[in-house]
Amino acid sequence: MRRENSEFLTGFLSEEGTSITNKNYFAFMQLDDMACWVLANGIDNDDELESAETAVKVLMECFEEKPTMSRFRLKRYLNEAHDILKYESQRVRLKTSLVMVVTNYNKMVYAVSGNNRLYHFRHGRLDGKSKDQSLAQVLADKGRMTDEAVDHHEERHNLLNYLGAPDGFNPYISRKKRLNDGDILLLLTPGMWEGANRGEIQSAVSSADGPNSLVDTLEDILLSKQRQVVPNYTAAAIYANKIYKEDPTRRKKYIKLAFAVLIPLILVGGGTYVYKVRDAARKAEAAAGIVQHEQNGDTYIGDENYAEAVKEYSEGRNDAMKVKNKLHATLLGKKLRVTQLITAGDASLKEGDYDKALGSFSKARKEAENLSVFSQDVLLEKEEAARNLQKVMELVKDGELKMQGGDYAGAKLVLERARLASIEHSLTGTEKNIKGILDEADLKLQSIVREQKKLQGEKLETKGDKKLAGQDYQAAIDSYVMAQSVYQEIDMLEKVLGVERKITKAEEKLNPTPTLPAATPVIQQSPVNLAPTAPVTEGINSAGAGLPIQYTSPNLVGTNVPNVDQLSAENTAGIAEEAADPTQEQSSEEADS
């Protein structure tokens, strides 16, 4: 293969200078039989879309799909990149200056659109240079100034041709040029060739020992001039240390083979014509399919049926790739990408991954800014809905964590905020789920309150028991009444009744029921028998208290005993006491003796 039998080394650097962003873009590709280097400079002011990057990527995709050194094909690749930039110029016109080099490791072809440059050095000396497509270069070509003066002329940036131009596009594409071992190709943007003149570039090439050394030296030259304003600058150096050598004998074989193939083709030209007709019909059918699928997809987008739109855009893009229609393939690819982002966002919402959904909708809205088929209002609504759901679910998650930690009151407050937010943003399904969690929090909270009340009642009841035992009956009643009130709040009927019995008992102790004194028996006495010889007999006749009691005592001989009716109440009481307590009478007798 050609690449293995040659040596091409590449070094480059790209910096923003004193600007905030770098609008330059460089890329290269070395395949088995061909290689391609592209350097672009964005000359627009769009802050979101990078025109240089877009153009380079389109060219690289075309070249990778079908590597070529054909001027016709290279111009078609450039036209596709130009058409893409024109299509993307919805808000700001995208414009790019570009230089492109293609080689088969033996020869090279280069293309220029704008004022990016190619310098070709051989044996350390400048062997060729591309021409700018600018007004300053036109003046130099007409002999009104030297070619070196173009580097600093005021019209050097007045471009007559560039990718994205509104009134036609005509890049310059060179003829094939043979390379030699040791050739150096240098690609520069205006930011670099303005800061390093041709003599300084020549000196840098002579002193450098490789591609990286060369671009570093050029940067040192540029920065050494200490300009207040330094534009974006990019330099790419290609060292063709060894080119691929073709075998002359093989070349003759290729010529003979070409004749051998051409003669049969001439003879069967009619068959080839039929094939071409059929191929053209197939391409026409695919082209019609592109338009139809795109229209169907646009209709589905209007109906917000994104799943069907994905299918239509995918089929349309496949048709465009079959007929190698890069413009429609790119356009349908962008529509497909936005639609897939929307469907992915909807799926993430259903799965509850609100962060991912928000990211998908945000990307879809930004990528759809230049695609009029997508309504920015609809995409903003989807993005806002995802953001609102994200906030609500964050509150729900916080509430659930509080519930797990036993903070049911705090959980209820947070969940109530989530429910109100759901109602505010019309998130009906979410609001129902939150209400279910709220009900659970309420039940937990009520259970805790009931337990707390029960403990409070039991403490009051225990306090009442202690007061009752200490005979502080009023304090016991007060504690019992408060305990009973607490039990009534939590509907503990059994406890209420039990405390009621204790209250009754305490009240009985505090206020006992008054009892009447026992009735004093009426004692009837018969005349005293004064016989001295009779024994002393006292007590109550066993026949009943109503019978007279007979007293006989030697001490009473000759004594006049008064009648019972003449006794005072005090003496009567004394007699009653003696009757009730015979021990007391015995004590009196002992005293008398």
Side-chain angles (χ1 to χ4, degrees):
M1 291 182 288
R2 290 174 176 263
R3 182 180 179 183
E4 294 179 353
N5 294 285
S6 59
E7 184 182 8
F8 281 69
L9 303 178
T10 304
F12 71 96
L13 62 83
S14 183
E15 299 293 340
E16 65 273 9
T18 56
S19 303
I20 298 175
T21 58
N22 189 355
K23 305 286 287 185
N24 296 348
Y25 199 85
F26 171 72
F28 69 98
M29 181 185 300
Q30 288 184 261
L31 305 176
D32 291 337
D33 295 318
M34 288 189 184
C36 175
W37 294 263
V38 184
L39 174 60
N41 172 33
I43 52 178
D44 55 69
N45 297 319
D46 196 297
D47 294 330
E48 296 183 7
L49 296 177
E50 297 294 340
S51 56
E53 180 180 356
T54 301
V56 172
K57 286 183 176 179
V58 171
L59 289 171
M60 283 295 174
E61 288 176 4
C62 294
F63 184 80
E64 184 180 20
E65 183 178 345
K66 191 163 188 178
T68 183
M69 289 183 69
S70 165
R71 298 173 68 195
F72 173 77
R73 286 191 176 275
L74 290 176
K75 186 172 183 179
R76 193 170 76 180
Y77 296 167
L78 288 165
N79 279 326
E80 288 193 18
H82 167 71
D83 290 339
I84 290 293
L85 290 186
K86 287 182 66 178
Y87 178 80
E88 294 286 357
S89 299
Q90 302 291 332
R91 183 177 60 256
V92 176
R93 179 164 296 282
L94 302 180
K95 301 178 288 186
T96 295
S97 175
L98 178 144
V99 61
M100 178 180 185
V101 176
V102 177
T103 180
N104 62 358
Y105 302 103
N106 180 267
K107 299 176 183 178
M108 78 163 183
V109 173
Y110 71 87
V112 175
S113 176
N115 58 355
N116 283 8
R117 291 182 180 177
L118 165 67
Y119 292 83
H120 181 194
F121 294 90
R122 180 169 291 172
H123 306 303
R125 300 180 62 183
L126 185 64
D127 188 67
K129 181 187 78 67
S130 64
K131 288 188 176 182
D132 299 346
Q133 292 185 317
S134 65
L135 181 57
Q137 186 66 56
V138 171
L139 295 175
D141 292 342
K142 290 182 178 180
R144 296 185 183 180
M145 68 175 80
T146 62
D147 196 49
E148 289 80 2
V150 173
D151 295 354
H152 304 289
H153 195 272
E154 61 181 1
E155 298 294 345
R156 65 187 181 278
H157 297 305
N158 188 351
L159 303 183
L160 304 178
N161 193 66
Y162 53 86
L163 278 79
D167 301 323
F169 176 64
N170 187 27
Y172 171 80
I173 303 176
S174 72
R175 295 183 179 276
K176 293 179 182 178
K177 183 177 181 179
R178 187 175 299 278
L179 296 172
N180 289 344
D181 291 343
D183 282 1
I184 297 175
L185 305 177
L186 188 59
L187 308 181
L188 303 177
T189 59
M192 181 60 79
W193 57 253
E194 286 176 343
N197 60 44
R198 299 187 188 186
E200 292 168 333
I201 295 174
Q202 179 75 56
S203 176
V205 170
S206 300
S207 62
D209 57 2
N212 291 320
S213 174
L214 176 55
V215 296
D216 288 341
T217 303
L218 291 174
E219 184 180 34
D220 292 340
I221 294 170
L222 172 67
L223 298 179
S224 67
K225 298 183 179 179
Q226 298 182 351
R227 297 179 177 177
Q228 292 185 352
V229 178
V230 179
N232 300 159
Y233 59 88
T234 303
I238 306 160
Y239 274 52
N241 294 334
K242 178 185 176 182
I243 66 168
Y244 176 75
K245 300 297 191 299
E246 294 182 344
D247 187 354
T249 58
R250 293 185 65 186
R251 186 177 181 185
K252 291 180 181 179
K253 289 181 180 179
Y254 288 142
I255 294 173
K256 290 180 181 179
L257 181 61
F259 276 112
V261 172
L262 283 173
I263 291 173
L265 286 176
I266 294 171
L267 294 176
V268 296
T272 304
Y273 175 77
V274 172
Y275 171 76
K276 287 183 177 180
V277 170
R278 290 178 179 175
D279 185 56
R282 180 181 62 81
K283 289 183 177 180
E285 182 180 356
I290 294 171
V291 176
Q292 187 61 50
H293 287 307
E294 183 176 12
Q295 289 177 350
N296 292 342
D298 292 348
T299 301
Y300 283 127
I301 291 296
D303 297 337
E304 297 188 26
N305 189 346
Y306 301 106
E308 292 298 326
V310 166
K311 295 178 183 178
E312 294 293 339
Y313 288 146
S314 179
E315 292 179 8
R317 185 187 62 171
N318 291 340
D319 285 343
M321 294 176 69
K322 287 178 184 177
V323 297
K324 298 180 180 179
N325 187 332
K326 286 286 184 180
L327 180 61
H328 278 90
T330 303
L331 173 60
L332 288 168
K334 290 184 177 182
K335 289 185 175 182
L336 177 61
R337 160 76 175 168
V338 173
T339 311
Q340 287 174 334
L341 284 171
I342 295 172
T343 54
D346 289 338
S348 297
L349 278 182
K350 291 180 180 179
E351 294 171 0
D353 192 344
Y354 304 107
D355 289 337
K356 190 174 180 180
L358 182 60
S360 296
F361 291 139
S362 180
K363 288 179 182 177
R365 182 177 59 81
K366 290 179 180 178
E367 295 187 21
E369 286 182 349
N370 298 321
L371 300 173
S372 58
V373 67
F374 295 97
S375 170
Q376 285 291 312
D377 292 339
V378 171
L379 295 178
L380 278 171
E381 286 177 4
K382 285 182 171 290
E383 190 175 347
E384 189 64 24
R387 187 176 289 107
N388 292 333
L389 268 171
Q390 184 185 41
K391 292 178 181 178
V392 169
M393 296 315 296
E394 285 177 356
L395 290 172
V396 172
K397 186 176 181 180
D398 186 22
E400 290 177 337
L401 288 174
K402 288 183 181 296
M403 285 184 64
Q404 292 175 7
D407 183 7
Y408 300 109
K412 188 175 178 182
L413 290 174
V414 174
L415 291 169
E416 187 62 33
R417 286 172 54 198
R419 190 181 70 85
L420 292 175
S422 299
I423 295 172
E424 179 183 356
H425 300 299
S426 302
L427 306 175
T428 308
T430 306
E431 191 269 334
K432 290 181 179 178
N433 293 335
I434 295 171
K435 190 175 184 304
I437 303 174
L438 265 173
D439 291 342
E440 182 182 352
D442 273 333
L443 290 174
K444 293 285 187 181
L445 195 58
Q446 289 173 10
S447 176
I448 290 174
V449 170
R450 180 181 176 83
E451 288 297 321
Q452 290 175 343
K453 290 284 187 181
K454 180 182 176 183
L455 289 174
Q456 181 184 0
E458 289 174 348
K459 286 181 180 180
L460 290 170
E461 187 177 355
T462 302
K463 183 179 178 181
D465 292 342
K466 291 180 179 179
K467 295 294 183 181
L468 181 64
Q471 298 183 356
D472 189 351
Y473 303 121
Q474 185 58 53
I477 292 170
D478 293 340
S479 295
Y480 287 144
V481 169
M482 288 188 288
Q484 191 179 50
S485 176
V486 172
Y487 289 144
Q488 286 174 343
E489 288 181 23
I490 55 178
D491 296 328
M492 296 187 72
L493 182 59
E494 185 177 351
K495 288 280 189 179
V496 171
L497 296 176
V499 174
E500 181 64 31
R501 289 191 289 271
K502 291 184 178 183
I503 292 173
T504 302
K505 182 178 179 181
E507 286 177 344
E508 289 175 352
K509 294 287 186 180
L510 180 64
N511 300 309
T513 303
T515 56
L516 296 175
T520 303
V522 178
I523 302 175
Q524 295 180 359
Q525 294 180 332
S526 59
V528 178
N529 187 351
L530 300 178
T533 57
V536 177
T537 303
E538 62 180 338
I540 299 175
N541 190 296
S542 59
L547 298 178
I549 299 174
Q550 295 180 354
Y551 289 92
T552 303
S553 175
N555 296 329
L556 298 177
V557 176
T559 305
N560 293 326
V561 179
N563 190 289
V564 176
D565 295 334
Q566 296 175 351
L567 295 176
S568 64
E570 183 179 352
N571 292 333
T572 304
I575 295 170
E577 288 177 8
E578 290 177 2
D581 191 355
T583 306
Q584 185 175 356
E585 182 180 352
Q586 184 179 358
S587 298
S588 299
E589 292 175 354
E590 290 176 357
D592 293 340
S593 63

